[in-house]
Amino acid sequence: MEPITEIWNAVLVDPIQAALLQLTTLTGSAGLAIIIFTVIVRTVLLPLSIQQVRSQRAMMGLQPRLRELQRRFAGDRQRIAQAQMQLYKE
């Protein structure tokens, strides 16, 4: 087996497989084990999801100002890039 495959399996696949097998043993149902595992993973990843949503909302709030910059500096990509960087810094 290739070294990268062994690393992938050791770091990601084997722990997930062990966790699902353990949950299956505890619950007696593979379906219920998958549901519980999914809820656990989603709960662990929730802080990242919240941060992503906040970032997306902030970018949506900047869209009108970005469009205005593109309209004002139409044709001059360098000026648009500079103005965008200044806007992001604010």
Side-chain angles (χ1 to χ4, degrees):
M1 202 181 314
E2 294 182 37
I4 197 82
T5 304
E6 291 177 16
I7 293 170
W8 177 262
N9 288 342
V11 171
L12 193 68
V13 175
D14 293 342
I16 290 173
Q17 182 181 13
L20 283 171
L21 287 173
Q22 186 67 29
L23 282 171
T24 301
T25 302
L26 290 173
T27 62
S29 167
L32 186 57
I34 292 171
I35 292 169
I36 292 170
F37 185 78
T38 303
V39 169
I40 291 169
V41 169
R42 296 289 304 242
T43 302
V44 168
L45 295 177
L46 187 62
L48 296 175
S49 298
I50 291 171
Q51 183 63 33
Q52 180 183 12
V53 168
R54 287 179 182 160
S55 178
Q56 287 176 341
R57 285 185 181 162
M59 288 303 291
M60 284 176 46
L62 290 178
Q63 284 303 317
R65 293 174 71 184
L66 287 171
R67 275 189 241 117
E68 172 60 28
L69 291 175
Q70 290 172 348
R71 186 192 59 78
R72 188 179 339 154
F73 300 119
D76 189 356
R77 290 186 178 269
Q78 186 175 5
R79 293 276 304 198
I80 291 173
Q82 289 174 348
Q84 284 178 342
M85 288 306 295
Q86 182 64 33
L87 180 62
Y88 291 146
K89 286 180 183 178
E90 293 175 12

